[in-house]
Structure formats: structure tokens, C-alpha cells
Amino acid sequence: MSSLVLGFQEMEKAQLGLVGGKGLRLGELSKLKGIQVPEGFCVTTVGFQRAVTQNRTFQDLLDQLTKLRAEDRDQIGEVSRKIRQFIMNVEIPSDVGKEVAHYLSTFGDKHAYAVRSSATAEDLPHASFAGQQDTYLNIIGIEEILRHISKCWASLFTDRAVIYRMKNGFDHSRVYLSVIVQKMVFPKASGILFTADPITSNRKLLSIDASFGLGEALVSGLVSADNYKVREEKIVAKKISTKQVAIYGQKEGGTVTQKIAPDQQNSQTLTDRQILQLARIGSQIEAYFGCPQDMEWCFADDTFYIVQSRPITTLYPIPETGDQENRVFISVGHQQMMTDPIKPLGLSFFLLTTNAPMYTAGGRLFVDCTPSLSSPVLRERLLTTIGQSEPLIKDALMTIIERENFIKQLPHDENDHAQKENNRDTTESFLEQFENDPTIVTDLIKRNQTSIEELKQAIQMKSGPEVMSFIQQDIQQLKKMLFDPQNMQVIKAAMDASSWINEKMNKWLGEKNAADTLSQSVPNNITSEMGLALLDVADVIRPYPEIVDYLQHVDKETFLDELVEYEGGQESKDAIDAYLNTYGMRCAGEIDITKARWSEKPTKLLSTLLHNIKEMEPNSGKRKFEQGRQEAMQKEQELVERLKQLPDGHQKVRETKRMISIIRNFIGYREYPKYGMINRYFLYKQALLKEAKQLVQAGVIDEKEDIYYLTFEELYEVIRTNKMDNEIISTRKDEYQLFEKLTPPRVMTSDGEIITGKYKRENLPADAIVGLPVSSGVIEGRARVIRNMEDADLEDGDILVTVFTDPGWTPLFVSIKGLVTEIGGLMTHGAVIAREYGLPAVIGVENATERIKDGQHIRVHGTDGYIEILE
């Protein structure tokens, strides 16, 4: 057996580096009982390396390519063209040619062959590289086959393949190419089989595309294929397309495009029996490889041949529950305004903090809401709650509920109806009985602050396993404060009063979303105060040009220590330090304990601080707050005057003023429990990093941040034993990079099906981009599409368009005049702060950052919930 050429039957599982991903899988498939694979062999990467990579000219060109970035399209095109030209001119080593000739004589040198690329970085679980290298069909004769082997080698350096590797972090010099030479099959039909539905991600739904002739017509877009869906060995859907042409192989070589007879154009490509036979083959191959597959197949002489199978890399992982029950999962990230992946330590801290039944998948958290959907009463409560925070999730859940057989329903209790009716009455009775005393909030805040100060003192005295045990115990205190019934009552009262105002003012006065204006500049909103406080810091620094200039060129996190060398430096440092003492535990994505806090990386605040210094006037913070307060008071007075004119006006005024008072006294507290949680998280993190430093010094881990890739329990054990398997950390880092590329669904089932919700809205402009109205008003301005807070380059009056905001984004809100996000609901961060600052806002807008381009002039309809693009 030669290392230059290997037949499919000669390949072994460990030979990825020799035959590439595609070749290795064909070798495995050819040995599977009942699976037909056309005969063939691989010219291994050894031949490619001997012909190409050892050449000095090639290495010089590769060095030029390595210095470029994916954005350097013109230079990539020029260097890649030179590399391809060089490879095509290189002579194939004679011993490689002899081995190819030997295998061709074995399989039939007069036969036609497909010559296909198989890279070592291809068909991997995390990157398919699909379509990056070339395939040539119906090639006849040794000379032509050798020429097309060179063409395949050269295709490793097409522009698209080079850019794909750059974006996926693959080193060009470590990726080699094998070439598959495989007997041509002249099929009656061919196509693609997905063992999981590529549209919905449902793992129990197979999807087959089929057209006449070779698959090239389908791949190149010449024809629309038939599509068949199969579930549990039953055909559940068919779409028969009009197929006007087909590509066929010619006996003398090459391919030809032929028109299909009119009476055949709308005929079904495969019979029902053939569809089910192919589905069984797909299921067998998926079971062998252990994950959903994307396969290319062809049908000839009443036989299905598999010519390629690779993992489907775009599917979102399913939470593992350990059973086969039907389940429904809701994304936690879409409710917490942080859909980025969370490192293992961050995941385990959140799991320790919550009482909800949660699972992890793809580096994100999901709540199993199946028990709630099973109970009529709990279901109604869940839909009401989720409808306020994330309407698109509610609509997706309604889709599942309408499938009567998916969730097992608990028997109806005779008290259910009475309980539902009772639930409808509880809101008003709860508000009537609620004690409208603002000192409740100040007492809750003081209690939390005292608890945090006690934790700060106590945790400093702990180390080693003792600190881990202490944190475990303190998390119980954190949970007690988060889920304190009084906490919940205060927040519920404010939300219910807002709903009451919106409902009654609309009914009585035709006034939409009146609570939005009434919620401006309320007391005790720790998050909105944070944005205004950074304006106060800007006021301190603005009079000192040297400090401003210095901050514009800062590139290290220790810059605060050097401030004192300049005029006004001590005052500036004191102002920033005071800000960080109150808010420094915050950051974008703060529910992940491993994210760098502002106290750890104060440079993250500099662009916003400098913007405030440049664009905002002195005393803007106090003036902005007072302006909002005045607008809220004026709105209250306006409503009162209009209500007085109605029948029972005085009664309506009395009820309305009480509800407004509840909103103003309590709505600000909505943001405080999370602030308390993040405070504790930061103290835990500082203690853990102190332990991590000891582990680095002992040689147990390489760097402090390695602990982020361990769960809390794993870290506890490492600190206890001073032993660590570093392979775990390496694997978790690779997984995290993979997770970063995934987009988590709002709602998914245990079948892997992703359910999407929709807004049901009428009477909107034809081109309206629809979302959820959360903060009233209409505003026009320049859209600034920003995905990372640190990249913000705002001008006063811009409209912020982003995926989501959490409290770490609040400092930007003082500069913008409108908000559009892809994720969120009525009571999520962006909505609350937008109302507090009086910013028109539409959130929960699907793909907003793609549909709205940076710099476009847009109009945001915060009252009616849509966006218009004006240019």
C-alpha cells in the first residue's frame, strides 16, 4: 500500500491528514454494509506536498498571503492568482503519476471519472468548507485526469477558499489537499439528502432534494429540485418543481445540458418507494457517523449511490435532558439581553443562582418550559409573563400549543376555570391592596447594600477550598434577595400599574402608551443613574485639555495611575474612581461572570466618556433628568385635566393619580435586583482570580483566565487537589470558538426544531420593518449599527441599532435619540431605559442589524412599533 495513492477500501480512520475529510468519509462509507459508493482512490496529501509546498517560490507567496486579512480582497485575489498559476505549472511527481496510472488500470482506464478535491480542513464537525474547492466531472484518460488533479490542487487557493480559511482561523500552510478520483455514475436522478431539516433544524425530519440527471444542475441553480420530507418512515410533505433542463455525462467525456420533454417536466423525480428507500439509507449513515448528515446521492440502474456525506455544521445543539420526552426550551439569553455564548464558569454560576429548570446548549442557557405548557393554568401565566418580556417567544409557544399532540396535557381540574377567572381579577385587587410607600424601595436598597458590604469584608478572609465553600453558601443569600417576595411585589406593582395606565388611558382618552412618558426620570433607577453619572464625570474632566488629549491616546488599563501627572489629574482620577466604585462591576454581557468588568478594563468606558466630553454640554446629566421629570409631570397634569371632563371624572382622576404614583415610586427599582446580583458576582470573581493566581504560580494552569473554562464544581476540585487536566481547558476553548459562530434560537424543541414567532400587525406601511413598541414617540435620524459597545462611534442625535442592550450599554443612551434592537420586550433593559430617558424605541426587530444599514436615515415609530428607511 503506497502513501501516495490509497484506494477507498485501503483507508483507515486515522488518515485524515492523508486523504482529507471528504476522502476519509468515502472510505468509511465504502465499507458500510448496504451502502453503495462508486469505486475510486485518493491521491494523498503527500503528493501535493512533494509537488508544491517544498518549493521556495510557493513559500514566498504563502508568506505574502499569511500577512493579509480577510478584508484585503484585492491583494488576496492577486496573491491567490499567482499561487494557482504556480501550482498549475508545477510538474506532478513521476511516482505519483505512476500510482495514479496503476489504480486507473485496476478500475478501468477507459472509464470516465469524477476528479474532486478533499482538503484536510474540510467536512469537519465545526466547519464544512462546502464548495470551497473544485470538482470536475466525466474526465477520461490519464493525461486529462493528471491535469485535473493539478486543477484541484490549485483550487485550494481560490479567493473564496482563502477568505473562508481566514475567517475560520485556519493556517494556510497547515491545510493540504488530497484529490479523489472516482468512477463516474451516469444517473437518472441525483440530489441532496439532509438527515435533519435544514429549514427548521428538526432532527426527526429528513429533507430530500431531487432532480433529473447529474447534481450539477441543482448545485449551479439551473433547476429547482423536487423536495420531499420524511418523518418516521412516512412521507409527510412533497413539493414537485418544474424541471426544464438536466445535465448528463457524455460517453466521450464532459457534460451536456439537455431540455426535458414537456410532459416530464412536472413529474415526480423519485417514486414514493424510492424516497423511503433513500431515507433509510440516510438514517443508516447518520447512525454510523453519530450526527446529522448532508449527503450527495445519485440514482442509476435502480441503485442509490452515495458520493459524499458530511456533518451539517449549521444546526444548533439540542439541550441534553437524558430522556426521550418531547420538550420545549426557551432561550435565557433573549430574556437576559445577552445571546453571546457564556464560558463554563459563567454558565455554572448562573445555574447556581436560578431556581428554574435550565439546561446548557451551544454555550447558552435554556429553560425547559414543558411543565408549564402542560398545565392550563401555568400555561396562561407563562404566556402572560413571557408576552410582556418577549412577544416573539410567546408567539412561537402558541405555535407549539396548537400542535395538540406534541405536549402531553395534564387533566383539566374543575377549579381551572375558576382559577383563571380569579387570576384576571387579581391585578386590580393587588394594586388596591398594595402599600404605596416609597420607603419600601429605599429599605430594600439599604438591605442589599448592607449585605454586600458584609460579603466584601468576609470574603477577603477566605482562601483555598474554604472560599469555594463560602461562595456556595453566599449564593443562597443572593437567591434569597433575588427572590424575596417583597422584591417581586414591588416590581409587579409597577408593571401592573403601567399596564393599567396604558389600558385605561387608551380606553378613556384614546391615548396610546401613556405610561412611557410617566416613567421618565423616576427615582432609584440604578441603571439610568449610571448613564447620567458618566456625564458628571465628563463635566469634571472637560476643563482640562491635557487630560482630554491624554485619554484620547490611552492604550493600557493602568492609565488612571498616570493621570495625576497632568493638571487636573487628581480631580479627574477621583471622579473616574468614584464612578468605578459604584458601577465598575458592570459591563456588556454582565450575566457572564467571566466577562471583563469596567473596573478590570476601564478603557472600555473611554470612547463613551470622550464622546460625552466633546458632544455634551456641562451639567447635561442633571438637566436631562430634570427635563424628563418635567415631561412626566406635564403628562400627568394633561391626563388629569382631560379625565375631569369625562363622566365619573373625579373617580377616574383619583384612580389614575394613584397608579401614576405607584409607577413613579416603584418602576425604577425594576433594575436594582440585577445590580445587586452583579455586585456579588464581581466579589466572587475577584476571590476566584486570587485563587487562579495561586494555581498559575503552582504550575497547575497556564494563565488565570483558564479557570473560566471550568465549571464551579470542577474549579472547586482543582483548588482542593492542585491537579488539573489541561486537555479539558484546551477542548473547552475550541468549543467556545465554535459556539461564538452559532446563533441561538428563541424557542426550540427536543427534536431540534427551531420555532420562530411573528408579529401580527395590520395597517402599517408596505415597507415597514416591524417590531415591538416599547417607548413612545416618533423620531428621525442617522442609524448607527453597532454590535459591540466598545466600537461605538456616536454623534449626538444618532439612532442606535444593535442586537441587544443590557445595563453595560446604558452610558450610550444619553447620546442617542432613538433605539432599535433585535431582542427584547416591554420590560427588558433597553425598553426600561428608553422610557426613562424619553427615547422612542422599537425592539424585538428580526435581523435589524442586517436590514438597516449603518448611516441610513430612518424613522422610528416608537408608539406603533415599526421603522421606516427614508433613504
Side-chain angles (χ1 to χ4, degrees), residues 57 97 102 155 234 309 358 381 391 500 713 733 739 863:
T57 303
H102 166 71
S155 74
K234 290 181 182 176
S309 184
M358 287 190 189
R381 194 177 303 163
W500 188 97
E713 293 77 13
K733 286 181 178 179
F739 295 156
T863 307

Side-chain angles (χ1 to χ4, degrees), residues 195-197 201-206 230-232 324 326 750-752:
T195 63
D197 185 42
S201 297
N202 191 327
R203 307 311 201 265
K204 292 183 178 177
L205 194 65
L206 287 89
V230 179
R231 183 186 178 103
E232 296 175 352
Q324 300 300 312
N326 285 351
S750 48
D751 290 345

Side-chain angles (χ1 to χ4, degrees), residues 440-640:
I440 295 172
V441 167
T442 52
D443 288 345
L444 283 169
I445 291 173
K446 283 177 187 173
R447 197 186 313 162
N448 188 71
Q449 288 173 337
T450 301
S451 178
I452 287 170
E453 284 303 315
E454 290 171 353
L455 168 62
K456 193 180 294 185
Q457 298 302 317
I459 202 168
Q460 291 175 358
M461 313 299 292
K462 312 292 181 185
S463 63
E466 186 185 15
V467 78
M468 302 299 288
S469 178
F470 177 78
I471 289 172
Q472 267 186 328
Q473 293 169 18
D474 192 74
I475 286 174
Q476 300 311 309
Q477 178 66 20
L478 168 57
K479 289 173 74 171
K480 194 181 295 183
M481 302 199 78
L482 280 176
F483 303 112
D484 181 343
Q486 195 172 35
N487 249 347
M488 303 300 183
Q489 287 170 1
V490 165
I491 295 168
K492 175 177 166 51
M495 292 171 64
D496 287 350
S498 296
S499 298
W500 188 97
I501 286 286
N502 284 336
E503 182 186 332
K504 298 297 185 183
M505 296 308 103
N506 192 22
K507 179 181 176 183
W508 293 340
L509 302 173
E511 175 100 16
K512 280 187 177 181
N513 304 333
D516 292 358
T517 306
L518 296 168
S519 301
Q520 289 182 208
S521 299
V522 294
N524 298 313
N525 188 321
I526 190 71
T527 308
S528 66
E529 289 168 3
M530 176 172 70
L532 300 176
L534 198 61
L535 290 172
D536 296 340
V537 176
D539 288 349
V540 174
I541 297 172
R542 192 178 292 108
Y544 303 107
E546 274 191 297
I547 298 287
V548 176
D549 182 66
Y550 170 74
L551 292 178
Q552 286 173 331
H553 301 95
V554 161
D555 60 358
K556 53 187 177 181
E557 301 301 340
T558 56
F559 72 91
L560 285 171
D561 297 331
E562 297 174 13
L563 276 183
V564 292
E565 298 172 15
Y566 300 90
E567 182 189 358
Q570 190 61 57
E571 295 92 325
S572 300
K573 182 178 184 303
D574 289 347
I576 295 173
D577 279 339
Y579 185 86
L580 293 176
N581 284 338
T582 306
Y583 306 110
M585 75 297 297
R586 310 214 83 158
C587 66
E590 62 189 9
I591 64 167
D592 181 358
I593 199 173
T594 71
K595 291 274 189 182
R597 311 285 136 172
W598 293 337
S599 286
E600 297 170 310
K601 287 197 172 182
T603 52
K604 286 178 175 285
L605 284 171
L606 284 183
S607 63
T608 308
L609 178 58
L610 287 165
H611 171 273
N612 289 351
I613 292 168
K614 178 185 173 185
E615 300 289 343
M616 311 300 281
E617 295 180 359
N619 214 30
S620 288
K622 293 180 180 63
R623 192 163 53 250
K624 192 175 185 70
F625 184 85
E626 183 56 26
Q627 179 185 341
R629 196 178 71 84
Q630 290 293 335
E631 287 177 9
M633 290 172 62
Q634 288 167 13
K635 173 59 71 175
E636 178 177 357
Q637 190 58 39
E638 174 201 324
L639 294 174
V640 165

Side-chain angles (χ1 to χ4, degrees), residues 239-265:
K239 188 192 80 167
I240 311 302
S241 297
T242 302
K243 301 167 284 292
Q244 296 181 336
V245 296
I247 296 177
Y248 294 99
Q250 299 184 99
K251 288 283 173 70
E252 63 274 18
T255 60
V256 62
T257 302
Q258 295 181 356
K259 286 189 176 180
I260 296 173
D263 62 337
Q264 291 292 309
Q265 289 181 4

Side-chain angles (χ1 to χ4, degrees), residues 700-804:
V700 178
I701 57 177
D702 295 330
E703 53 189 12
K704 288 190 300 181
E705 290 76 12
D706 283 351
I707 67 168
Y708 297 161
Y709 297 92
L710 300 172
T711 66
F712 183 87
E713 293 77 13
E714 289 169 342
L715 179 57
Y716 200 149
E717 186 65 12
V718 170
I719 290 172
R720 190 184 68 80
T721 62
N722 246 25
K723 292 178 183 176
M724 175 72 222
D725 178 2
N726 284 301
E727 187 63 32
I728 293 175
I729 290 174
S730 176
T731 300
R732 300 262 175 88
K733 286 181 178 179
D734 289 343
E735 287 176 345
Y736 185 78
Q737 286 186 325
L738 166 61
F739 295 156
E740 284 184 302
K741 299 171 187 175
L742 299 175
T743 301
R746 281 178 166 84
V747 177
M748 72 186 305
T749 72
S750 48
D751 290 345
E753 183 180 3
I754 293 171
I755 313 292
T756 55
K758 291 183 175 60
Y759 293 114
K760 297 172 177 65
R761 209 79 60 73
E762 297 176 355
N763 303 320
L764 294 182
D767 297 330
I769 298 174
V770 183
L772 180 71
V774 295
S775 187
S776 295
V778 179
I779 201 75
E780 290 183 20
R782 181 180 67 157
R784 292 314 313 267
V785 179
I786 298 170
R787 289 179 173 83
N788 296 302
M789 181 192 159
E790 294 85 51
D791 299 335
D793 181 19
L794 292 165
E795 292 180 10
D796 199 32
D798 282 343
I799 296 170
L800 174 61
V801 180
T802 189
V803 178
F804 58 79

